[in-house]
Amino acid sequence: MTSTADAARPPGRPRSVRADEAIVEATLDLLAEGSTIETISVEAIAARAGVGKATIYRRWPGKDALLRDALRRLKGDPPQPSGGSVREDLITLVSAIGHNVDPRAAQIMPCLVPEMKRSPEQYAFYQSIVEPRRAAMREVLRRGVREGELRADIDIEVTMAMLTGPMLIQRVLNWNPDLDEATLPEKVVDGVLAGIRAR
Amino acid sequence: MTSTADAARPPGRPRSVRADEAIVEATLDLLAEGSTIETISVEAIAARAGVGKATIYRRWPGKDALLRDALRRLKGDPPQPSGGSVREDLITLVSAIGHNVDPRAAQIMPCLVPEMKRSPEQYAFYQSIVEPRRAAMREVLRRGVREGELRADIDIEVTMAMLTGPMLIQRVLNWNPDLDEATLPEKVVDGVLAGIRAR
DNA sequence: ACGATACGGAACGTATCCGTATCGATATGA
DNA sequence: TCATATCGATACGGATACGTTCCGTATCGT
């Protein structure tokens, strides 16, 4: 028993960690540059990574498995609200929408939209990214209600959609070319807080 | 002069109107069933339409032109607000978001999202569909301000995003599985009208 | 040093698609 | 009747991608 646990290291040359990294990075780069999940090719990935195709097929059984693993890398931690006023926390959370840690995510996420519609796994993947962020926002809203800063009769889930939707369609769909993304979070939060009805 | 205008009918067998229709319908069907713009094939379209490939190439110079024409069919007229109260009109408009005349549009539109990000033509196509609907909502909001039902200091464009965003992310992205799409329009409109701040 | 395994690179066979060409059959006008 | 152009079907060449399999080389444990 020379090794800790049963990590019997197999003989021969160990697999290059550098190749592992390069393959995944190349995949994400290509996706961010405009390839879609269906048009991206293993050959392009290999070429971009400076790696032989065989090296890829030694690690993954096929393109789908590789893409699944690569996309999993994009999942960052949900942002932590500072815990100041409810308004400040909401602005923090809303600003983070579609503004991921990995800048490539902003380009890649829209590519997953069509996929989601038909693949339950892709939808589950999407939800696994979105849910933690929803949870953070939900907590801030509940705190606001608890401390009396927000009304008690609001629908939390609908309110989250009201805060998230505008940012998401603007950042993902470029919905309205005339909107300024930089100031949108603050305007949306204040808009939702105040309402638009005359009084 | 036997013909009205200069419609000199060419000799030979006239083109089948039935084939015209079948080709476009087959294209939209395939897109709605999961094909993306890039993976759909002329051969699949021809097979589905019960048509020879040559029949397609006799009408369109290539796949792109066919897709453009087919997608243009999905563009319905923007909904006409009834002209009642601002609240009622907004609910009408918000309910119509992502709720197109052709039910296939709901499946097809998300497919265009990735395309939009890189193709200026696709983005222009998307805007040509969205802008009339935005214009209708803008008009309702301006009317509300004019008639004193809405505050005069609201940002019209941001308000439109607040009304549109929640419906769009729910209908297109299935953003939150717990939200009820049927009642969402009314809740969003009332939420935006009233605001959530305690007072 | 030696065996074992990985490496990058290249080629291969299969499959699919595009756009074009060709076929016999069919429908229209002269 | 006859020329003409379309019909659906099929085949083709060129291109691309997949997944596999071979090189010759590099790097590990023993």
Side-chain angles (χ1 to χ4, degrees), chain B residues 1 8 25-26 29 37 55 60 62 65 82-83 89 94 101 108-110 114 118 120 131-132 156 161 171-172 181 185:
Chain B
M1 295 205 185
E25 285 300 301
D29 281 346
I37 291 195
T55 304
W60 291 275
S82 60
D89 281 1
V94 170
V101 184
I108 294 175
M109 292 301 290
R118 11 197 159 279
E131 227 301 311
I156 300 273
R171 287 237 169 100
V172 172
E181 281 188 18

Side-chain angles (χ1 to χ4, degrees), chain B residues 5-32:
Chain B
D6 57 334
R9 198 165 298 138
R13 179 176 177 175
R15 290 192 175 167
S16 161
V17 182
R18 213 192 133 280
D20 270 297
E21 200 67 25
I23 292 167
V24 172
E25 285 300 301
T27 304
L28 294 178
D29 281 346
L30 286 173
L31 285 176

Side-chain angles (χ1 to χ4, degrees), chain A residues 31 34-42 63-64 67 111-112 114-115 118 122, chain B residues 34-40 111 114-115:
Chain A
L31 285 176
S35 300
T36 66
I37 290 197
E38 286 167 318
T39 60
I40 199 172
S41 74
V42 175
K63 183 166 68 160
D64 292 346
L67 284 175
C111 296
L112 306 183
E115 244 68 33
R118 9 198 160 280
Q122 290 280 7
Chain B
S35 300
T36 67
I37 291 195
E38 286 168 318
T39 61
I40 199 172
C111 296
E115 244 68 35

Side-chain angles (χ1 to χ4, degrees), chain A residues 74-79 93 96-98 100 109 112-113 116 122-138 157 160-161 164-165 168 172, chain B residues 169-170 173-177 179:
Chain A
L74 286 178
K75 182 161 54 174
D77 294 331
L93 291 176
I97 291 168
N100 302 68
M109 292 301 290
L112 306 183
V113 172
M116 264 171 26
Q122 290 280 7
Y123 183 66
F125 170 72
Y126 172 73
Q127 288 295 328
S128 73
I129 294 180
V130 168
E131 227 302 310
R133 295 159 191 267
R134 270 206 305 263
M137 185 177 290
R138 195 180 287 121
E157 300 299 320
M160 291 196 297
T164 307
L168 219 46
V172 172
Chain B
I169 65 172
Q170 191 57 29
L173 301 181
N174 231 325
W175 177 72
N176 186 341
L179 279 177

Side-chain angles (χ1 to χ4, degrees), chain B residues 104-158:
Chain B
R104 290 172 300 192
Q107 294 292 328
I108 294 175
M109 292 301 290
C111 296
L112 306 183
V113 173
E115 244 68 35
M116 266 170 23
K117 280 284 183 181
R118 11 197 159 279
S119 158
E121 299 92 19
Q122 289 281 4
Y123 183 66
F125 171 72
Y126 173 73
Q127 288 296 327
S128 74
I129 294 180
V130 168
E131 227 301 311
R133 295 158 191 269
R134 269 206 306 262
M137 185 178 290
R138 194 179 286 121
E139 190 41 48
V140 170
L141 290 176
R142 285 195 181 132
R143 204 191 78 207
V145 170
R146 210 163 46 232
E147 298 176 355
E149 193 166 353
L150 303 181
R151 291 209 316 271
D153 63 340
I154 65 174
D155 185 319
I156 300 273
E157 300 299 320
V158 171

